[in-house]
Amino acid sequence: MSIAASNTSMRVPAGFRNLLEGLAREVLREQPADVVAFAAQYFQKLLEGREGEGIDPVAWGAMLED
């Protein structure tokens, strides 16, 4: 079974690249045994920072990309 090619152009959301680069940098720095659990904790900390302190790395990254 084949899947027809689509003409749809997909874009990476603003700030997403910066968000993933931050995760990759921390994974390389920490070298965790369980990368998925580490990523979950990393994103949880970012979420807590956004909700508690108003710091949104995605919005900040989107500004840098513009």
Side-chain angles (χ1 to χ4, degrees), residues 5 9 11 13 22 27-29 34 36 43 53 62 64:
S9 176
R11 287 182 359 146
V27 166
L28 292 173
R29 183 178 298 144
D34 186 347
V36 174
F43 288 125
E53 302 167 16
L64 292 177

Side-chain angles (χ1 to χ4, degrees), residues 4-11:
S6 174
N7 292 347
T8 305
S9 176
M10 298 180 76
R11 287 182 359 146

Side-chain angles (χ1 to χ4, degrees), residues 23-39 41:
L23 173 62
R25 187 172 31 255
E26 291 303 314
V27 166
L28 292 173
R29 183 178 298 144
E30 296 289 330
Q31 298 288 308
D34 186 347
V35 176
V36 174
F38 180 85
Q41 291 173 353

